[in-house]
Amino acid sequence: MPSPRLPTPDSERRTQARLSAQVPIQVRVGGESNVRPATLIDLSWGGALCQMHTALPPGEPQIRLQLPWTSGETIEIEATRLRQKDLENGRHLLAVRFQRLSLFNQARLEKLLGHLQTGDSQGRPHQAPPLVATLEVLIQTLDEWRWALGDIAKGQLRISAPSAFAPGQSLGLQFNGVPARARLRLRARVLSCEASPLSRMRAVRSQTLTLEFEHPQEMLRQWAGWLLGQIPSQGPASSPPADYQPQVARPEAIAARLVLDQGERSALEIGFPEAIDYLLTAWGDVSAFETVFRRLIFGDTGMAGTWTPEAWEELQWLQDVHDEAYGLSESRRSRLKVGRDTH
């Protein structure tokens, strides 16, 4: 007998793959010290449907989901209640929307969704639909990257998209562009969507989206601040870098395009996308790269012991490539070996 379901809003059906699951999870409500057992019915990028033995109290309590992960660890997700329904068997259906995840928990969620999607699509000839609508934010200049990071630190960003999205929809964002370190993957929710006016230069009406990021504010502030510190300063005595292009005025919204196909992805991209983001922000800076690499290897990021053999091999290969292109730091040349022997 199929599991009962609550109606799914049209916006969620259009932009997110909802994947069936029968997984025991734990739910923590408000300031309660004990967790409530529940069963996950389905899961998507932006939320979940679960069945519980007891109903949630009225009001809007803070909800934390704990989904099982490998080695006894969990995926921690801060969520809000969308709706609740009493069932005839005395149990209760609870639909929640994800509100905030750390980068590490987001990476784990993506991997779990990938496993569920693989199970759902076995034996089907067609390609599995994307887990979520993803927009690529195109950074054109260093000034634009500074402005974007400043907005990210505040928790919101305005972008110009080729199509409309309903307020409340959850989206994936990947940043790319001219600066070598403008590489970042985040999740965000649409606050508003406004049609841009037509002009002689633009025959198709674009949409201006105001987005709110679904990550802890302090994490965004620290990460954006670190990235801002990696951008070369433009003092009067310094020459601009090769990819520097001065920008006259700040745009109202940064251009973005819809990513239609993710294509072939490596083990790091599939299971540890945030590790690639970390490494790319320090790429080309020997000292910064060593610091980021050490954090990944020795567990300062909370990922120690979770590397798959394929991801570990790719991580070592990336270090080899960086060593070959930019050399070793003084400490590694003299004595310290990061992760393994150096050549």
Side-chain angles (χ1 to χ4, degrees):
M1 180 177 178
S3 300
R5 294 175 181 269
L6 290 172
T8 300
D10 289 340
S11 61
E12 293 183 15
R13 284 198 294 263
R14 285 199 306 269
T15 63
Q16 298 178 18
R18 302 191 68 83
L19 305 171
S20 299
Q22 288 290 326
V23 180
I25 64 172
Q26 294 180 324
V27 178
R28 190 183 300 275
V29 180
E32 293 181 358
S33 57
N34 297 326
V35 295
R36 303 181 182 214
T39 300
L40 185 66
I41 303 299
D42 68 33
L43 181 68
S44 73
W45 168 281
L49 178 66
C50 57
Q51 187 175 126
M52 302 182 64
H53 293 281
T54 58
L56 293 189
E60 293 294 332
Q62 184 185 50
I63 301 171
R64 289 186 178 273
L65 299 186
Q66 297 178 354
L67 278 58
W69 189 242
T70 59
S71 302
E73 299 184 9
T74 59
I75 303 173
E76 305 283 338
I77 304 176
E78 201 174 313
T80 57
R81 176 172 53 190
L82 288 178
R83 51 201 177 274
Q84 186 171 244
K85 179 182 178 181
D86 298 334
L87 301 177
E88 294 180 357
N89 61 6
R91 297 187 180 183
H92 311 270
L93 279 182
L94 173 67
V96 299
R97 182 182 71 186
F98 298 156
Q99 189 174 24
R100 276 183 290 273
L101 295 86
S102 70
L103 289 176
F104 303 113
N105 283 315
Q106 173 60 31
R108 291 177 174 182
L109 174 63
E110 288 188 40
K111 191 169 184 179
L112 176 58
L113 287 167
H115 286 318
L116 292 175
Q117 189 174 51
T118 300
D120 272 4
S121 60
Q122 283 183 353
R124 300 180 187 176
H126 63 274
Q127 184 179 10
L131 295 173
V132 67
T134 300
L135 291 170
E136 181 184 38
V137 182
L138 306 173
I139 303 296
Q140 302 297 324
T141 68
L142 290 178
D143 287 334
E144 199 167 62
W145 187 222
R146 289 189 183 93
W147 296 330
L149 288 173
D151 289 340
I152 290 171
K154 298 174 184 176
Q156 293 188 7
L157 183 69
R158 285 172 64 85
I159 65 172
S160 176
S163 57
F165 294 90
Q169 289 184 9
S170 203
L171 303 173
L173 289 185
Q174 58 186 46
F175 292 78
N176 288 302
V178 171
R181 291 170 182 157
R183 304 289 187 271
L184 194 60
R185 287 164 49 93
L186 296 172
R187 59 180 290 140
R189 184 168 297 277
V190 179
L191 293 181
S192 66
C193 179
E194 304 170 2
S196 303
L198 293 173
S199 66
R200 295 180 180 178
M201 301 297 293
R202 179 181 296 166
V204 179
R205 191 185 300 273
S206 64
Q207 306 289 326
T208 299
L209 306 181
T210 300
L211 305 175
E212 182 177 50
F213 294 104
E214 297 179 317
H215 299 290
Q217 182 67 38
E218 184 58 29
M219 183 216 72
L220 287 176
R221 189 160 39 242
Q222 292 180 0
W223 187 237
W226 191 85
L227 288 173
L228 281 168
Q230 306 305 306
I231 301 177
S233 60
Q234 293 302 307
S238 63
S239 59
D243 62 0
Y244 178 72
Q245 302 175 31
Q247 192 151 328
V248 177
R250 175 172 181 163
E252 179 186 356
I254 301 175
R257 68 179 182 89
L258 189 63
V259 179
L260 299 177
D261 185 9
Q262 296 289 349
E264 292 291 332
R265 297 193 298 167
S266 66
L268 281 175
E269 289 175 308
I270 294 172
F272 309 92
E274 79 286 3
I276 298 179
D277 294 336
Y278 289 164
L279 291 174
L280 284 175
T281 58
W283 196 264
D285 185 322
V286 173
S287 177
F289 186 87
E290 178 182 334
T291 299
V292 172
F293 194 87
R294 283 176 58 84
R295 288 181 175 180
L296 289 171
I297 296 303
F298 295 120
D300 291 348
T301 61
M303 295 176 61
T306 67
W307 302 106
T308 63
E310 296 81 7
W312 177 252
E313 183 178 353
E314 291 173 5
L315 196 63
Q316 292 181 316
W317 177 77
L318 285 174
Q319 188 186 45
D320 285 338
V321 171
H322 196 273
D323 290 347
E324 184 69 23
Y326 302 103
L328 307 180
S329 66
E330 289 294 335
S331 58
R332 286 185 64 210
R333 269 202 297 265
S334 60
R335 182 171 58 87
L336 183 61
K337 313 300 181 186
V338 179
R340 67 196 193 289
D341 290 338
T342 57
H343 304 294

